[in-house]
Amino acid sequence: MQLHKYEKIWLSFGIASLVFFLLLLGYGAFYKGTHPQSHAETIDPNHVEANVSFQPEHLGLNKIAENRYVVNIVASTFNYDFGKDENGNPVKNIRIPKGSNVLFQVTTKDVVHGFNAAGTNVNMIVEPGYVSSYETVLDKPGVYTILCNEYCGLGHHMMYATLEVYE
Ligand code: CUA
């Protein structure tokens, strides 16, 4: 079979591109250990407390250093569990000083939920069996509504909380 000169060039170009992208993918995935942002960590949805982050005393806002926070949340139909305040009432508002570095870790006990702090770049899908995490710097003061943006049943619209970034 006789290949035309241009055919050969384009064929080689095609194969070279394929090899290049496979190498790039392999380098990212295996050498650098890059994984998608969320869903890297698995969890037993029936025993979320087995993960220390989701034990009752670690739910909600945790200050880990100056200007560094971790917020742990357990979603379930139709609630976000941010733990309890000093009076034993469920926490529904998280207050974080402006400019803080915050890691959000969310899991669910039952069905797929969303976790979106509207107006910020915090927006995750939360699936049973996984911990969804997202780290960000909150530098715009305001009160942001956290809502579920995955339809999860009749009480879907009741799943909300607020995130307050203060000066
Ligand atoms: Cu949870 Cu919609």
Side-chain angles (χ1 to χ4, degrees), residues 15-85:
I15 292 169
S17 307
L18 183 66
V19 170
F20 173 75
F21 285 115
L22 283 175
L23 286 174
L24 195 68
L25 196 70
Y27 171 77
F30 300 108
Y31 182 72
K32 300 281 276 186
T34 315
H35 295 287
Q37 272 280 324
S38 53
H39 296 173
E41 196 185 338
T42 57
I43 188 169
D44 179 353
N46 298 314
H47 300 282
V48 295
E49 331 57 57
N51 181 318
V52 72
S53 297
F54 300 106
Q55 286 170 357
E57 64 272 30
H58 296 139
L59 290 180
L61 189 64
N62 300 274
K63 185 172 184 173
I64 53 168
E66 201 48 43
N67 280 313
R68 290 187 75 90
Y69 295 85
V70 176
V71 183
N72 299 319
I73 306 105
V74 177
S76 59
T77 50
F78 301 101
N79 181 50
Y80 290 119
D81 192 349
F82 288 92
K84 300 234 184 342
D85 64 18

Side-chain angles (χ1 to χ4, degrees), residues 3-18:
L3 282 178
H4 193 274
K5 182 182 164 205
Y6 288 112
E7 255 182 326
K8 275 188 199 166
I9 292 171
W10 283 108
L11 199 63
S12 321
F13 176 73
I15 292 169
S17 307
L18 183 66

Side-chain angles (χ1 to χ4, degrees), residues 75-80 110-114 147-153 155-159:
S76 59
T77 50
F78 301 101
N79 181 50
Y80 290 119
D110 40 44
V111 299
V112 175
H113 296 281
L147 44 89
C148 179
N149 52 8
E150 291 290 322
Y151 183 74
C152 52
H156 164 71
H157 62 282
M158 299 190 308
M159 286 191 75

